[in-house]
Amino acid sequence: MSIAISRIVQGLEPSATLAMSAKAKELKAQGKTVYDLSVGEPDFITPQHIRDAAAAAMKAGHTKYTLASGLPELKKAVADKYKADYGIEYPAAQVVISNGAKHSLHNAFFTTLNPGDEVIIPAPYWVSYAELVKLSGAVPVIVPTEESQGFKMTAAAFERAITAKTRMLLLCNPSNPTGTMYSRSELEMLADIVIAKNLFVVADEIYDTLVYDNRQFASFPTLRSGLQDRTIVVNGASKTYAMTGWRVGWTLSPANVAQKMGGLQSQETSNPCSISQYAALAAITGPQNCVAEMSAAFAQRRDYVAKRIAEIEGLSCAEMQGAFYAFFNVKKHLGRKPGSVSVTNSEQFCLELLTQKQTAAVMGSAFGCEGYVRASFAAGLDVLKEAFDRIAEFVGN
Ligand code: PMP
Ligand code: GLU
């Protein structure tokens, strides 16, 4: 006898980024050297003062449950940070701390969506969006975008996708996987449609501090008055403070949504790890030069990766303006046979690149965009150099 899997989980695709990263880890465990540009995870260790704060929290005995929706001091610190960074005010009660931004997204979808509701998601989109929306019973409506337009959804494309069932726009800015960023005026055009069509927005701003060339990031609820009541902002400690393993994410949302998300979390997971929350508190309230230093290192790597992609025959990439991903076009190399193996799509490209050249990247198809490959440049310059040498050899074969 085998236990039947529920219909909803049977249809669930596992995370392709984590699957590719697991494949790379498996090869490493076999003693092979792998140049891993698969997972979007800063290669930096969490800054020392944050780790010290966690050790101090353990020593002080902060080992018990916190409020299910998060440590009050941390909620206040998150609200204060949005006020300081973007001039927008939230009472601490409108902040919910969760087990990573992925969990925050799950809470947001479960709390606001009903079966059959439509959620507009511009593609390429981050791997977990469509799957998490489907888990909540709602329907992802994917809107393709063009490399030539920086993979940004135009106001016209957005309007065309809206039906009587549309309730939410899910927007990642700066974007994982494309590394491009909407300007304030581009966002305002989308915001006006959101207001006119009575929609609401989940604004995934997890890469807000990783923006290059002195560009100005615009936080979605600040774009127009009244938008704060229509927006659930998602953010977290993973990327900004190199804290992926600690699992701390958060939302800033209207009061009724925050209250219900806290209630949902109280039934599903209770509070996020108390020690991780103290670490995140130290991250937000402590010195911020670590953020600037890591961001400067990412900017240098971004320049290096852009140069390498431009030099490799047949590859192209939209300008990378934020986050730490290159989403490069490999269409000219599909239908060829590197190492005598036929490569006709981005998945085969990535699997063969890993097998033949020990270099891990993620297929565009996992992000809803065939013909592209995502490389994370949250890796050291030495790894990037070797990886791109190998990508050049692979497509040159
Ligand atoms: N949103 C985006 C766009 C991401 O790239 C990630 C990466 N993990 C997340 C959310 C989730 O982050 P976390 O590690 O905090 O769950
Ligand atoms: N966000 C990262 C990525 O896209 C981490 C992986 C994940 O959470 O799925 O690679």
Side-chain angles (χ1 to χ4, degrees):
M1 182 241 169
S2 66
I3 300 174
I5 302 299
S6 72
R7 274 191 295 277
I8 197 148
V9 171
Q10 209 162 43
L12 184 75
E13 285 289 333
S15 161
T17 44
L18 296 184
M20 211 56 193
S21 158
K23 267 196 210 310
K25 284 197 172 96
E26 199 180 296
L27 290 176
K28 284 182 212 167
Q30 291 166 12
K32 301 203 171 102
T33 304
V34 179
Y35 302 94
D36 189 1
L37 310 186
S38 64
V39 75
E41 172 167 54
D43 55 325
F44 303 110
I45 304 284
T46 306
Q48 186 66 50
H49 69 279
I50 301 174
R51 286 183 280 148
D52 289 346
M58 277 194 274
K59 213 164 170 193
H62 292 311
T63 55
K64 297 204 155 66
Y65 294 134
T66 68
L67 204 63
S69 57
L71 198 64
E73 303 92 297
L74 179 56
K75 293 199 217 180
K76 182 173 179 320
V78 168
D80 289 349
K81 180 169 162 53
Y82 258 72
K83 169 106 200 300
D85 290 351
Y86 306 120
I88 187 157
E89 292 209 40
Y90 284 91
Q94 289 177 224
V95 176
V96 175
I97 313 294
S98 302
N99 295 287
K102 199 181 271 184
H103 183 212
S104 302
L105 287 162
H106 162 83
N107 284 344
F109 301 150
F110 257 67
T111 302
T112 58
L113 295 172
N114 286 308
D117 285 349
E118 290 181 0
V119 176
I120 294 185
I121 310 177
Y125 50 80
W126 180 48
V127 282
S128 296
Y129 286 166
E131 294 307 306
L132 288 179
V133 165
K134 281 192 261 172
L135 263 189
S136 73
V139 180
V141 173
I142 308 301
V143 177
T145 63
E146 296 296 326
E147 179 183 346
S148 59
Q149 292 181 323
F151 293 111
K152 290 183 240 185
M153 182 172 70
T154 60
F158 180 28
E159 271 198 298
R160 272 199 303 276
I162 295 171
T163 72
K165 291 186 177 160
T166 308
R167 290 203 56 227
M168 180 196 287
L169 166 65
L170 172 52
L171 201 66
C172 182
N173 192 43
S175 159
N176 177 4
T178 67
T180 57
M181 187 172 85
Y182 289 83
S183 66
R184 175 171 277 273
S185 59
E186 287 165 339
L187 287 175
E188 281 170 355
M189 286 192 277
L190 300 182
D192 288 341
I193 298 169
V194 165
I195 294 166
K197 301 285 181 178
N198 199 20
L199 307 179
F200 70 100
V201 179
V202 168
D204 186 341
E205 304 192 342
I206 197 158
Y207 297 101
D208 65 337
T209 58
L210 295 170
V211 170
Y212 308 116
D213 308 320
N214 297 318
R215 276 194 177 74
Q216 287 302 307
F217 168 79
S219 176
F220 204 87
T222 69
L223 297 169
R224 295 281 192 235
S225 81
L227 265 188
Q228 206 170 345
D229 297 336
R230 294 182 178 274
T231 308
I232 302 171
V233 175
V234 173
N235 208 320
S238 292
K239 318 289 167 166
T240 304
Y241 299 106
M243 290 180 67
T244 45
W246 301 76
R247 312 307 304 133
V248 183
W250 48 77
T251 47
L252 301 98
S253 69
N256 64 325
V257 177
Q259 199 219 340
K260 289 293 184 191
M261 286 198 294
L264 175 67
Q265 193 159 287
S266 78
Q267 293 289 19
E268 283 191 336
T269 57
S270 301
N271 59 278
C273 166
S274 59
I275 303 302
S276 294
Q277 291 192 73
Y278 279 98
L281 180 63
I284 297 178
T285 56
Q288 298 298 298
N289 47 335
C290 56
V291 178
E293 279 161 23
M294 288 190 277
S295 197
F298 289 132
Q300 193 190 11
R301 296 161 183 193
R302 189 276 311 249
D303 293 345
Y304 177 75
V305 167
K307 180 170 156 290
R308 292 300 307 266
I309 291 173
E311 283 166 4
I312 299 173
E313 176 63 33
L315 298 190
S316 68
C317 184
E319 187 187 21
M320 292 167 267
Q321 303 166 334
F324 37 56
Y325 305 102
F327 196 67
F328 55 92
N329 186 327
V330 297
K331 287 177 190 165
K332 290 199 177 132
H333 294 286
L334 298 181
R336 297 185 52 247
K337 289 192 172 180
S340 309
V341 182
S342 174
V343 163
T344 56
N345 59 35
S346 60
E347 183 173 1
Q348 287 168 353
F349 185 102
C350 290
L351 291 176
E352 285 307 313
L353 182 65
L354 184 59
T355 310
Q356 296 183 30
K357 299 289 174 189
Q358 292 75 49
T359 299
V362 186
M363 46 282 194
S365 51
F367 306 98
C369 193
E370 185 47 89
Y372 292 81
V373 167
R374 190 195 78 172
S376 158
F377 54 85
L381 276 174
D382 49 343
V383 176
L384 290 169
K385 181 185 176 309
E386 191 62 41
F388 275 92
D389 285 352
R390 286 162 178 259
I391 291 170
E393 278 170 25
F394 182 69
V395 299
N397 260 334

